[in-house]
Amino acid sequence: MTHLYDRRKFLQTITTAGAGAGLAAALPLRAFASFADPIRIGIIGCDTSHAVAFAKSFNSPTPVPGVEGFKVTAAFAEASPDIENNLKRLPGFVEELKKLGVEMTDSIDALVAKVDVVMVESNDGRPHLRQALPALKAGKKVFIDKPLSASLAEGMAIFDAARKYNAPVFSASSLRYMESAQAVAGGSVGKVFGADTFSPCHLEKTHPDIFWYGIHGVETLFTVMGPGCISVTRTQTETTDVIVGTWADGRIGTFRGNRTGKSEYGGTVYGEKGVATLGPFKGYVPLVVQIAEFFKTGKPPVQESETLEILAFMEAADESKRKKGAPVTLEAMYNRARKHRR
C-alpha cells in the first residue's frame, strides 16, 4: 500500500474504489500533511499584486505558522481588456510568479487539472463566476479575492454553484483580518453599538462604485458590526463617499470612502467597554493564514450570508446615489438580484 503515500494515486484509489470525486474533494487537506508533496495551489488571474504577494507567502522557504505544506504551482494569466491598468501590470506580475517557480498554463481547465485548490485573484469581479466555475465543478475548494463578484446576482450564482458541486467557497478582503478589527470582533470592547470606517474608494467605470476599492472599508465595517444591515443612504461628492447603514437593532454604521489624500485604512468603534481605533493595515499574511486553514478544513471563516450582505450593501449604496441620497433597503437589492438570476 505504499502508493497511498502519493497524493495523486491516493485520490485516484478512493475514487475508483467507489468513494467518488465528491469524497475526494471533501477530505480535509490536513490528511495529506505527511505526504512528500505540498498541497498544490492554482491561481486564476494575475493582474493584481495580491497574486504575487500570496504566492510569496505560500512558497516561502520559511512560511509563517499555519501556511506550511502549501505551494502555488500553477497560474492562468488573464486580465480584463477594458481595464487598461490591469493589462499594463499583468506581464510584470507574470514574470514575478515565474521567478517563484509558478508554471503558467494556457487555460483554466488545464490549471484545474494540475492543482488541488484554487485562488481566483483577478482584480476584476466581473469574470469571477466564469473563472471559478471549472474549479467548483471539479469539487475543489476556491478562495475568491475581493470583490466576490461585480454584482449581487452573480455572487448568489457563485454560492449556488458551490452548493451544487459540493465545493466550498471563501471570499474576503484582507482588511477583515486587521489585528484591531479582529480584536473588536472577538469582544475587546464588548457589544458594538456603532462604527465608522474609512478606506480609499477609487472608482472604476466598469464596476459599481463601491465594489472596486471601497469594499475594503465596507468589509471592515461588517467585521466589527456583524451582519444585519437593513437600509443604506449615500452622499457623494467628487472626492468623497459617505454611506450610512442602519442595522435591524437600531445601530448605525458608516463608511467613508476617500479619493484624495494619503491612502489609509481604519476607523472607530463604539462599544459598551470603550472606544476602539481600527488600523493600521499591516499586510496580507493574516488573510493568507485564513485561506490556508480554509483549504485544510473546507470551512469558510465568513458565512455566505454575510458575504452576500456586503454585496447588497454596496448595491444599495449605488441605488441610493441614483436616488439622490434616498434610503434604499437591502431587501430591495436581494429581490432585484433574484429577478436577474431567473
Side-chain angles (χ1 to χ4, degrees), residues 5 32-38:
Y5 287 93
F32 304 134
S34 62
F35 296 175
D37 293 338

Side-chain angles (χ1 to χ4, degrees), residues 2 14 43 52 63 68 85 93 127 157 184 200 202 211 223 231 268 318:
T2 56
I14 63 169
I43 291 177
V52 175
E68 308 94 339
N85 192 47
F93 292 144
V184 170
H202 308 300
F211 279 66
T223 302
S231 70
T268 304
D318 262 20

Side-chain angles (χ1 to χ4, degrees), residues 7-8 38-43 55 58-59 70-75 97 100-105 111 114-117:
R7 173 181 45 226
R8 298 170 184 80
I39 295 163
R40 302 164 301 170
I41 301 173
I43 291 177
F58 281 118
N59 292 15
F70 291 88
K71 186 175 182 180
V72 177
T73 57
L97 287 167
L100 293 170
V102 179
E103 174 192 356
M104 293 295 149
T105 65
L111 171 89
K114 289 175 176 285
V115 300
D116 304 305
V117 294

